[in-house]
Amino acid sequence: MKVIFHPRFYEVYTSDPAAAKGRMEAIVKELKGEFDFIEPSAASEEDLARVHGKGHIQNIKRNSLIYELGTLAAGGAILAGELAFKGEAAFGLIRPPGHHASPHSCWGFCYFNNIAIAITKLISEEKIKKALILDFDLHYGDGTANIFGASKEVSYHHPEGTNREAFMKNLEEELRKEKGYEMIAISAGFDRHEEDWGGLLRTEDYFIIGKLVKELSLEQCRGRRFAVLEGGYNHSVLGKNVKRFIQGFSD
């Protein structure tokens, strides 16, 4: 199990909660010593252009720091996807997040759609033909849905539930009804936790989600699976939540 991380992800690039000082530090503190860390390289503009329009890319380029970190985050997702294709589960500990980034626009602390860039690259290189994306972030990944809404190759699932039990049931049902995919990719947002914005899930629920995804990947797609960080903003619990998810997700 590999954790994809680069020291540049510590950099504070805006004033939004995803970029806050101490956020990545809280996660790294929990994961260091238990999982192997490897550094990504930045995604190329060709990688970005499989998902995003030229105008959108040029607009992000106007802020050099955000562009540099955004391409590095996308590169982290690509590396996680490549490791998963080779049979090694991976977690992209990256920022900025990505699931609110559409082909020609973005919002919600996102700039480039990291998970879409990684999956689209795998498909374009004919490594996989079909993928499933599970997004358990508090917020609907409208960017990911916009990118893959008409796709026959990629299905996007964002489970919902008015209480913890209903959410966990819906998540499992959504996953179990899918067949024929060759990769599971996870937009892993931890802001649905009971001590974060969503006020719903317990830390142990993330372990259960990770274990379920692992088991289904072994049943359906030879264990090919990777995840990338999206939301999660309470630094006092974020690292523990990420750690429990990865413990369930890893072999």
Side-chain angles (χ1 to χ4, degrees), residues 198-211:
L200 192 71
L201 299 182
R202 302 171 185 169
T203 298
E204 196 62 19
D205 292 330
Y206 293 112
F207 176 85
I208 294 169
I209 294 169
K211 185 178 180 181

Side-chain angles (χ1 to χ4, degrees), residues 58-124:
Q58 294 303 314
N59 187 48
I60 302 302
K61 271 188 176 181
R62 293 174 184 171
N63 185 315
S64 59
L65 177 58
I66 288 176
Y67 183 78
E68 289 169 9
L69 294 177
T71 55
L72 191 58
I78 288 171
L79 179 55
E82 289 173 344
L83 288 170
F85 174 72
K86 295 174 183 177
E88 183 166 13
F91 181 85
L93 179 52
I94 59 178
R95 72 176 186 185
H99 71 157
H100 293 307
S102 293
H104 305 290
S105 63
C106 61
W107 71 289
F109 320 146
C110 302
Y111 302 96
F112 299 123
N113 197 305
N114 304 313
I115 204 162
I117 290 167
I119 288 294
T120 302
K121 184 176 176 70
L122 289 169
I123 292 173
S124 72

Side-chain angles (χ1 to χ4, degrees), residues 4 32 75 93 137 151 176 215 231:
I4 317 302
K32 274 289 189 183
L93 179 52
D137 191 273
S151 173
R176 291 198 181 278
E215 291 171 350

Side-chain angles (χ1 to χ4, degrees), residues 205-223:
D205 292 330
Y206 293 112
F207 176 85
I208 294 169
I209 294 169
K211 185 178 180 181
L212 173 63
V213 172
K214 176 182 68 177
E215 291 171 350
L216 287 173
S217 74
L218 291 169
E219 292 173 13
Q220 299 290 333
C221 55
R222 293 186 285 174

Side-chain angles (χ1 to χ4, degrees), residues 1-4 38 75-92 115 118-119 122 127-128 130-132 181-186 213 217-218 221-228 249 251:
M1 176 75 191
K2 293 291 191 296
V3 173
I4 317 302
I38 59 173
I78 288 171
L79 179 55
E82 289 173 344
L83 288 170
F85 174 72
K86 295 174 183 177
E88 183 166 13
F91 181 85
I115 204 162
I119 288 294
L122 289 169
K127 292 179 177 177
I128 63 171
K130 188 175 180 181
L132 181 156
Y181 51 86
E182 298 171 297
M183 179 77 72
I184 303 180
I186 313 296
V213 172
S217 74
L218 291 169
C221 55
R222 293 186 285 174
R224 291 174 172 171
R225 64 196 185 277
F226 73 96
V228 298
F249 192 66
D251 291 315

